[in-house]
Amino acid sequence: MAELVKITNDNLGTVQIWGFHGECSVRDVAAALEKIAAGLKGDSHTIHVMSGTHGYCGVGQVGAVATREQRFAEEDRALAHPVTADNKAIAVAVHDFNTNKLPAPDYVSAAMAKLNKDIRNIVAETPGIPTFLLAYCCSAGTKLRW
């Protein structure tokens, strides 16, 4: 079961980045879109779903909303109808930030460099304050169990 986690600080007017502890499914992503949206207010919001991999998934998962063979299907997108706290519609954009093999030997650095570059480009090209959901397992790190 995936646990949704806000990765960034709660600073008003800054980009929000959310991710998961544990494996996530398309349904987890749809539920996350609804939860994130409920915390937003106003018009012109877009949640950017970053589907891909951090490069070292123990179960080989590439992303909850995309695999190497297929993209996030329209019927999967229909699972979520995110609206803000004040009932404004939110656009959802899906980005396959990394669904290929990563350069060795440091998969983690390669994935993070690509993710950071892609997020910066989206922020620079998107009006308003975009929100990001990292839709792949352990995108918020692994949760320690004692």
Side-chain angles (χ1 to χ4, degrees):
M1 178 99 170
E3 178 186 350
L4 181 65
V5 178
K6 187 172 184 185
I7 298 170
T8 52
N9 292 332
D10 281 334
N11 296 328
L12 189 61
T14 61
V15 173
Q16 294 183 31
I17 302 176
W18 295 75
F20 292 99
H21 286 310
E23 292 180 46
C24 60
S25 69
V26 171
R27 292 196 185 277
D28 292 322
V29 172
L33 290 171
E34 302 284 346
K35 181 176 180 175
I36 293 166
L40 301 172
K41 288 186 178 178
D43 292 314
S44 303
H45 285 281
T46 301
I47 299 175
H48 297 271
V49 179
M50 307 302 284
S51 182
T53 179
H54 46 55
Y56 58 95
C57 182
V59 295
Q61 186 172 344
V62 175
V65 297
T67 65
R68 286 184 177 91
E69 292 78 34
Q70 70 182 66
R71 294 182 174 271
F72 191 32
E74 288 301 320
E75 57 268 22
D76 295 333
R77 290 179 197 226
L79 289 171
H81 299 286
V83 293
T84 63
D86 52 351
N87 210 30
K88 307 286 184 176
I90 292 182
V92 175
V94 178
H95 307 273
D96 294 335
F97 91 87
N98 184 22
T99 56
N100 294 314
K101 298 275 186 197
L102 295 164
D106 191 353
Y107 304 116
V108 178
S109 293
M112 289 308 297
K114 177 151 181 33
L115 178 62
N116 287 333
K117 179 182 174 198
D118 289 359
I119 286 176
R120 281 190 187 101
N121 288 342
I122 291 167
V123 169
E125 297 167 1
T126 302
I129 300 169
T131 300
F132 294 89
L133 174 59
L134 308 183
Y136 51 93
C137 70
C138 303
S139 56
T142 55
K143 189 171 185 176
L144 296 176
R145 294 187 181 138
W146 301 99

